Amino acid sequence: MDTLKKAFASKLLKIKAIKLQPNDPFTWASGWKSPFYCDNRKTLSFADLRNFVKLELVHAILEHFPEAEAVAGVATGAIAQGALVADELCLPFAYVRSKPKDHGMGNLIEGELPKGAKVVVVEDLISTGGSSLKAVEAIRQAGCEVVGMVASYTYGFPIAEQAFADAGVKLVTLTDYENVVAEALETGYISNADVDLLHEWRKDPANWKK
């Protein structure tokens, strides 16, 4: 699995889906300042990489959650990836909105998950885990069992690891912070000084200031 994490980290860096800007931080939706930004949705634009992600997520599901009877994607980033995975597995697919639609049926879950189905959730990225686990709760409220979650990338924040543990959700990812930073350093994308700054940020991202 470590070989996969290193390989996928390299692929993300090559298409510039990973942006490391220690001296020009990004502002996340949460308000956190971050020297690091990951946009896995860019993988959808490259046919070979899109297929790679699809197949590796499928392999992760078959290995860790073979009992899955349906797939749910988390809007919006994992809708396309989730649909591709469900198609490959020939399983029902639905996606979970961040909030109920404000018109029409007012759906929170779009599509249909069989009542009582064992569902694997597909996510593109895990930061704090808040939005991902809100989707899990919505699926459980709909009368289904969440057997686990697969995602392309995780920052591996302790707050997220604790949240997943508390929610009783097993998470499997294709790559993570450690592998991306190591690959970025190895290829000269960042320097050792940048690594020190990134590690400082990761210790307390909510309060980090450049």
Side-chain angles (χ1 to χ4, degrees), residues 66-200:
E67 70 274 33
E69 299 168 329
V71 176
V74 181
T76 59
I79 295 176
Q81 289 178 340
L84 289 167
V85 166
D87 189 59
E88 186 72 17
L89 291 169
C90 295
L91 292 176
F93 175 72
Y95 70 85
V96 187
R97 293 175 170 273
S98 57
K99 58 183 179 180
K101 191 161 61 173
D102 60 6
H103 60 279
M105 299 291 290
N107 293 337
L108 181 58
I109 298 176
E110 298 288 4
E112 186 170 333
L113 295 171
K115 197 73 172 177
K118 292 178 170 60
V119 179
V120 63
V121 180
V122 176
E123 180 63 288
D124 69 324
L125 177 146
I126 308 294
S127 54
T128 65
S131 58
S132 307
L133 292 173
K134 280 173 65 177
V136 167
E137 183 57 29
I139 293 166
R140 287 171 170 168
Q141 290 290 329
C144 295
E145 177 188 348
V146 174
V147 295
M149 183 180 297
V150 293
S152 294
Y153 174 83
T154 180
Y155 286 100
F157 295 135
I159 188 175
E161 293 177 351
Q162 187 61 54
F164 273 84
D166 291 345
V169 178
K170 180 179 178 179
L171 172 65
V172 178
T173 65
L174 302 188
T175 194
D176 51 31
Y177 168 89
E178 286 85 1
N179 280 276
V180 166
V181 171
E183 189 67 16
L185 180 62
E186 186 177 316
T187 57
Y189 185 67
I190 58 174
S191 67
N192 281 303
D194 294 329
V195 172
D196 292 340
L197 185 148
L198 287 167
H199 288 348
E200 278 302 310

Side-chain angles (χ1 to χ4, degrees), residues 4 43 144 193:
L4 167 62
T43 63
C144 295

Side-chain angles (χ1 to χ4, degrees), residues 32-70:
W32 290 6
K33 294 291 184 181
S34 170
F36 196 128
Y37 190 79
C38 180
D39 183 6
N40 286 305
R41 287 168 289 196
K42 288 192 72 172
T43 63
L44 296 168
S45 300
F46 301 84
D48 288 347
L49 187 49
R50 182 175 67 233
N51 194 54
F52 174 90
V53 173
K54 175 189 72 174
L55 292 178
E56 291 302 339
L57 288 173
V58 165
H59 293 159
I61 291 169
L62 292 175
E63 178 180 352
H64 298 279
F65 313 111
E67 70 274 33
E69 299 168 329

